[in-house]
Amino acid sequence: MLNLSNQHVAEGVWEKVPRKSRPELLRIQGSRRLGRILLVVGILFVIALFLPWRQTIAGAGTLTALTPQDRPQTVQNQIAGRIEHWNVREGQLVRKGDTLLTISEIKDEYFDPNLPERLREQLAAKEANVDAYGAKIAATDQQIAALSLTLQVQLESARNKVEQATNYLNIDRADLVAAQNFYETTRARLARYEEGYKNGLFSLTDIETRRLKLQEDLAKVTAARNKVASSQQALANARIELSNLRAKYAQDLAKANSDRSTAVSSRASSKGEVAATRNKISNVEVRRGLYVVRAPQTGYVVRALKAGIGETIKEGESIATLQPEAPLLAAEIYVRAMDVPLIQRGRQVRLQFDGWPAIQFSGWPSAAVGTFGGFVSVIDVVSSSGGKYRLLVRPAQPQAGDKPWPRQLRLGSGVQGWVILDSVPVWYEIWRQLNGFPPTLQAEPDVTPVKGDTGKEK
């Protein structure tokens, strides 16, 4: 080394300084203390690996109402109309049946202020028409009864005539047989007289007398035959008259029955018109009651969807949003599909609401601060948008050191939830997280029932 400085270091310094610095560099008390600290930390780490750790399934969502009737709803008008007056303002508490909105009619068929009276007049006319058709049916029934009675009398008379003609025919046939017998007898006698005349037993006068007798008997036979033919014609005419009588009265009865059927059909049609008119009267009365839109249940008017006076609204159109008063709250959180099989109804859940600061230790729920308790009430059986499943968490009974859900909670605010599962050692949880395995359960969970199932639950 070049000695460029004006100050010189004594040689004694080079001999004393190394002797003083050497013991400081070789002192071992600090390394022993560090080793002890690392040993204690290692022992504590090993002990911590065997501590119990509660597995959890995290999910996020919003606050909602447990029952559909407690969720926000839109109030709709049932008929089309024109806004005349708003009776509420946004944020106002209304009771069930309170008037929200008053509208007026816009359809020309309902413009008449005396429409119900006009319809009642039409109803009275149609009811009178029904009575008239009823009277016509009664008169037709009487006519049919009279025709039936007359038909029976006429038929009886015609049958008597047929029977009388039949009797006359039988008599005439008997007379014909007798005349024929007399004729045959007379002819036989004439033959014997002619034989005796040839033998000289009878005179010519006797023969001529017998011949005249034969001619008389032949004339009687001919007259009897003509009489039988006349009787047959009379019987045929009686039968024809009987058939004509039946056909005539059958035609009259058919016409009367046709008139009755027409009257019955017209009365049924009039009754239908009466029913339709009554229905229209009822519809008009109900429609006039719908000019006032009322609150379906007690709640707060959140927002008016239609504004201004004179605005026309369609039927079934939403006019305001109503939030029911004091809904039964539930936390609606969404979890992954791979975690749903591990969750069953009744599982405990820790919740953190937006606006309430909290410190959450997922592995040690008892050490969490600012969280609130709940339990799984509903598990959807189908996935929602995004492939996640919805859980409805209801408030649990507050335990020692736990607080009930805040009264200031509002529907729609955010919420974070942790479904608490079984306990496992810390080392197992670290190993599971490193390998990406899902949480484990000590026993197979029950099958999740469908929403609304009222069957037995374990």
Side-chain angles (χ1 to χ4, degrees):
M1 178 181 293
L2 297 177
N3 189 5
L4 301 179
S5 178
N6 297 323
Q7 296 180 359
H8 300 277
V9 180
E11 295 181 358
V13 175
W14 291 101
E15 294 178 359
K16 295 179 181 179
V17 170
R19 285 197 300 268
K20 292 181 180 180
S21 61
R22 189 181 299 112
E24 295 293 336
L25 294 175
L26 299 178
R27 189 176 297 171
I28 61 175
Q29 285 79 3
S31 60
R32 290 178 180 177
R33 187 179 299 111
L34 179 61
R36 292 170 185 174
I37 293 174
L38 293 177
L39 178 61
V40 171
V41 171
I43 295 174
L44 293 177
F45 177 74
V46 173
I47 296 174
L49 290 177
F50 291 92
L51 291 177
W53 179 274
R54 295 298 296 268
Q55 292 180 317
T56 58
I57 295 176
T62 58
L63 276 175
T64 184
L66 182 63
T67 58
Q69 65 182 10
D70 289 337
R71 295 170 187 170
Q73 66 177 95
T74 57
V75 181
Q76 301 174 346
N77 60 307
Q78 300 184 21
I79 61 173
R82 177 177 178 271
I83 298 177
E84 295 293 338
H85 179 66
W86 277 97
N87 298 81
V88 295
R89 61 180 182 275
E90 293 182 349
Q92 180 179 348
L93 175 65
V94 294
R95 300 294 176 182
K96 181 178 180 180
D98 288 352
T99 301
L100 302 180
L101 180 67
T102 303
I103 62 177
S104 59
E105 190 60 67
I106 61 173
K107 291 189 176 181
D108 55 356
E109 57 182 318
Y110 298 103
F111 282 169
D112 187 2
N114 298 322
L115 182 59
E117 288 74 12
R118 305 287 186 270
L119 292 176
R120 290 189 182 93
E121 292 175 359
Q122 296 178 14
L123 177 62
K126 292 178 181 179
E127 288 178 345
N129 197 14
V130 172
D131 295 337
Y133 281 118
K136 184 177 180 179
I137 291 172
T140 307
D141 290 337
Q142 293 178 359
Q143 182 182 0
I144 292 173
L147 286 174
S148 299
L149 181 60
T150 304
L151 175 62
Q152 295 298 327
V153 175
Q154 295 292 335
L155 287 178
E156 190 65 26
S157 176
R159 292 192 190 98
N160 292 334
K161 290 182 179 180
V162 170
E163 187 176 357
Q164 185 178 5
T166 302
N167 293 333
Y168 284 154
L169 177 61
N170 292 331
I171 293 173
D172 293 339
R173 284 176 177 173
D175 293 341
L176 175 61
V177 172
Q180 287 176 348
N181 290 335
F182 281 122
Y183 173 74
E184 294 296 332
T185 302
T186 302
R187 188 174 63 176
R189 285 180 181 178
L190 178 60
R192 286 194 301 271
Y193 269 84
E194 288 180 352
E195 188 67 26
Y197 173 73
K198 290 179 182 181
N199 294 329
L201 295 176
F202 300 104
S203 63
L204 180 60
T205 302
D206 293 333
I207 292 300
E208 290 177 351
T209 301
R210 292 298 175 184
R211 286 177 179 174
L212 292 174
K213 181 65 175 175
L214 179 63
Q215 293 296 328
E216 292 178 357
D217 291 342
L218 179 60
K220 290 181 180 179
V221 169
T222 302
R225 285 177 179 173
N226 292 334
K227 195 173 183 180
V228 168
S230 298
S231 298
Q232 288 178 345
Q233 291 178 356
L235 177 60
N237 291 334
R239 288 175 177 174
I240 291 173
E241 183 179 359
L242 177 61
S243 299
N244 290 336
L245 186 64
R246 286 176 178 172
K248 178 179 179 301
Y249 278 94
Q251 182 179 1
D252 294 340
L253 287 174
K255 184 177 182 303
N257 287 324
S258 176
D259 294 341
R260 186 182 186 281
S261 299
T262 302
V264 170
S265 177
S266 299
R267 185 177 67 173
S269 178
S270 298
K271 285 184 177 180
E273 293 177 357
V274 168
T277 305
R278 288 176 178 172
N279 185 21
K280 192 171 183 179
I281 292 174
S282 300
N283 290 339
V284 169
E285 292 176 351
V286 173
R287 185 180 181 88
R288 293 197 169 187
L290 297 177
Y291 293 160
V292 176
V293 181
R294 303 182 184 276
Q297 58 179 319
T298 302
Y300 295 91
V301 179
V302 179
R303 179 180 301 174
L305 303 179
K306 292 294 181 180
I309 303 299
E311 185 175 355
T312 301
I313 54 178
K314 300 179 182 179
E315 56 185 9
E317 190 173 3
S318 300
I319 60 175
T321 302
L322 182 68
Q323 169 57 51
E325 183 185 22
L328 184 59
L329 294 179
E332 182 183 47
I333 63 176
Y334 293 87
V335 297
R336 298 179 302 174
M338 64 178 298
D339 296 330
V340 172
L342 305 175
I343 304 174
Q344 58 186 348
R345 298 175 64 179
R347 280 285 183 179
Q348 295 183 0
V349 183
R350 301 303 301 180
L351 300 172
Q352 177 184 352
F353 302 112
D354 288 353
W356 277 263
I359 300 177
Q360 169 65 17
F361 296 95
S362 60
W364 293 291
S366 58
V369 178
T371 60
F372 301 88
F375 66 94
V376 178
S377 176
V378 176
I379 304 175
D380 279 354
V381 295
V382 294
S383 62
S384 302
S385 58
K388 293 187 177 183
Y389 285 78
R390 186 187 66 156
L391 307 180
L392 288 182
V393 180
R394 295 179 58 185
Q397 292 294 336
Q399 300 178 357
D402 203 355
K403 295 182 180 180
W405 287 17
R407 295 181 300 171
Q408 295 82 3
L409 291 176
R410 295 179 180 270
L411 296 183
S413 61
V415 61
Q416 297 285 336
W418 294 269
V419 182
I420 300 175
L421 302 180
D422 297 337
S423 296
V424 296
V426 174
W427 66 267
Y428 179 84
E429 181 66 15
I430 297 175
W431 173 81
R432 182 186 72 81
Q433 293 286 350
L434 292 176
N435 290 274
F437 291 161
T440 59
L441 297 177
Q442 297 178 358
E444 182 181 359
D446 296 336
V447 177
T448 304
V450 180
K451 291 190 298 182
D453 187 8
T454 56
K456 295 181 179 180
E457 300 178 2
K458 292 186 178 180

